Amino acid sequence: MRRAGLLCEAWTAELSNGVRSRSERLRDVEGSSGQTSAERTALQSCFVFRRTMHPMNALPQTASPDIPDPLVIAGRAYRSRLLTGTGKYKDLDETRRATEAAGSEIITFAVRRMNLGQNPGEPNLLDALPPDRYTLLPNTAGCHTADECLRTCRLARELLDGHALVKLETIGDQKTLFPDIIETLAAAEVLVKDGFDVMVYTTDDPLIARRFEEMGCAAVMPLAAPIGSGLGIQNRYTIMEIVENAKIPVIVDAGVGTASDAALAMELGCDGVLMNTAIAHAKDPVLMAHAMKCAIEAGRAAFRAGRIPRKRYASASSPVDGMIA
């Protein structure tokens, strides 16, 4: 069965690269004598799944005047500026409840780890978070080279019936999980040319962020701190520099620990925040998801309202002119 799964993934990669058609591969499966009966059944299920996948991403395709202050990514308008992950929860029911409490419309998942129906006997993410309610954001978590990212994104596009929106991340160091920028740049260039809408996880380097924007990425996602660290934004000035110069959405990704971290990101002018661990590993994930939703909304409102300047000395709240002696 493991060999069947590996063959299914390899053949899907061939489909994505245009090497052989789906019907040719299915004929190979049905007519092959090299596999056991169980393996042939698993492979047939793999291809039937790809033909009967749910219709994807039924949220608005273009910016809508009905949404005040929308977050617009790749031409789609969203009310929520909180993007959430699907890993680290105790089960898919908790994932669903936390996602609903967060009010998220964009949810990300690791293509190489999450079951979308290709394993019929296992819990299916699409049952908990149906794609007619959410925009799915497949990501390349676990990839360490540009080639691995390309294969994973093409597999996601095949699994999700032509889905183009992806989150690109290429891990360069296992201790810090910092991105490998050289490999990420190489992968982003190919994916953009291949028609993907790329939301890219990167460091908080303003020059690198500009390179990704010039390359045609749909959004840049600088880290606040190492993934899962909960340290919050460690360098607000580089984040502000990215925000002030970017013409595409800036989504803080990684390192958020609590609601005040999310609020700060929004007060700095970021367009949104993506988080997973801060919610999933909280003592009460559903309540923390609600807290993050409130923080995102409060931080965005504060940014739009405009904070008062910081001053070294006090300024009386009541006017001194005309005061009774």
Side-chain angles (χ1 to χ4, degrees), residues 17 61 82 85 100 114 191 197 202 218 231 233 239 301 309 318:
N17 290 318
Q61 298 295 307
L82 176 56
E100 291 175 351
M114 188 63 70
L191 290 171
D197 296 317
T202 181
L231 291 173
I233 295 177
I239 297 293
S318 301

Side-chain angles (χ1 to χ4, degrees), residues 114-174:
M114 188 63 70
N115 178 36
L116 301 179
Q118 67 269 38
N119 300 319
E122 299 178 6
N124 183 345
L125 176 67
L126 300 184
D127 291 335
L129 301 173
D132 60 346
R133 289 186 57 192
Y134 301 97
T135 289
L136 301 183
L137 179 61
N139 66 58
T140 59
C143 294
H144 295 82
T145 67
D147 286 341
E148 287 180 346
C149 290
L150 296 176
R151 287 197 299 270
T152 300
C153 288
R154 288 165 178 160
L155 174 62
R157 183 162 61 182
E158 177 63 27
L159 285 170
L160 301 178
D161 196 25
H163 185 68
L165 186 67
V166 294
K167 180 194 170 192
L168 172 63
E169 54 182 272
T170 315
I171 300 302
D173 179 71
Q174 282 302 117

Side-chain angles (χ1 to χ4, degrees), residues 78-122:
Y78 301 93
R79 289 180 173 83
S80 175
R81 293 175 178 270
L82 176 56
L83 293 68
T84 53
T86 55
K88 302 185 178 181
Y89 293 96
K90 66 179 183 181
D91 54 36
L92 285 179
D93 180 65
E94 185 176 74
T95 305
R96 175 189 59 79
R97 290 186 293 114
T99 303
E100 291 175 351
S104 301
E105 294 174 292
I106 301 176
I107 55 172
T108 189
F109 64 93
V111 176
R112 302 175 72 177
R113 300 170 184 159
M114 188 63 70
N115 178 36
L116 301 179
Q118 67 269 38
N119 300 319
E122 299 178 6

